[in-house]
Amino acid sequence: IILAIVFTAMALGNVEPQLFPNYLKIGMAVCLAVGAVWYIFVYLQLNRIDVASLSPANLFSKTANIKLMMISGEVFFIVCLVIFFTLLFQSFWSYNQTGFWAMVATILFAIVYGIVYMWPQYVKLFRDLNSIKE
């Protein structure tokens, strides 16, 4: 929500209109606001699950629905980011090629770091979450 407010303020204040056009700021503010509302909704759904009173099968069903909602929210956010960076790359290529290459290098570093370091941890956490231990 805070980032959505920041992007909205940037659009209203017309900060860097040539390098960072208003349609990018407004688009990012909308995507961030929708994402924040979605995560609040998922949190409220998760908060309403009473672990003590549910049967294991019902609890598994409810947590599986929460996982599906989280994944769908993340897919929406990734699509928004892809659209945002596609449009931002075009703007940077036209007005600031040093910034363009710095952004490309940073994104490539983040992708490699995510694949090498973060992905195995997420796989392990997912397997641990889905394993049934006695």
Side-chain angles (χ1 to χ4, degrees):
I1 292 175
I2 293 170
L3 287 175
I5 293 169
V6 167
F7 277 100
T8 303
M10 287 174 61
L12 293 175
N14 206 17
V15 176
E16 289 289 334
Q18 189 176 23
L19 185 61
F20 196 35
N22 275 342
Y23 66 87
L24 287 176
K25 296 173 211 161
I26 293 168
M28 197 62 183
V30 168
C31 286
L32 288 168
V34 168
V37 169
W38 181 251
Y39 282 117
I40 289 169
F41 171 74
V42 171
Y43 174 76
L44 292 175
Q45 293 295 320
L46 183 63
N47 201 23
R48 289 190 354 215
I49 295 176
D50 186 15
V51 177
S53 66
L54 293 175
S55 67
N58 199 1
L59 180 63
F60 182 77
S61 172
K62 288 188 181 284
T63 55
N65 288 336
I66 296 291
K67 286 182 198 177
L68 185 61
M69 286 191 288
M70 287 298 292
I71 289 172
S72 64
E74 289 172 5
V75 167
F76 171 79
F77 192 62
I78 288 170
V79 168
C80 284
L81 284 177
V82 167
I83 293 169
F84 173 76
F85 278 110
T86 301
L87 296 173
L88 187 63
F89 278 153
Q90 293 171 359
S91 178
F92 267 48
W93 182 256
S94 299
Y95 298 108
N96 185 359
Q97 290 193 354
T98 304
F100 171 82
W101 289 113
M103 195 166 41
V104 168
T106 303
I107 289 174
L108 287 177
F109 174 77
I111 290 171
V112 169
Y113 178 77
I115 291 171
V116 171
Y117 182 73
M118 298 301 288
W119 186 257
Q121 290 181 357
Y122 284 134
V123 169
K124 182 183 179 305
L125 286 172
F126 186 76
R127 287 184 181 151
D128 289 346
L129 182 64
N130 287 330
S131 67
I132 298 174
K133 296 181 180 178
E134 294 182 31

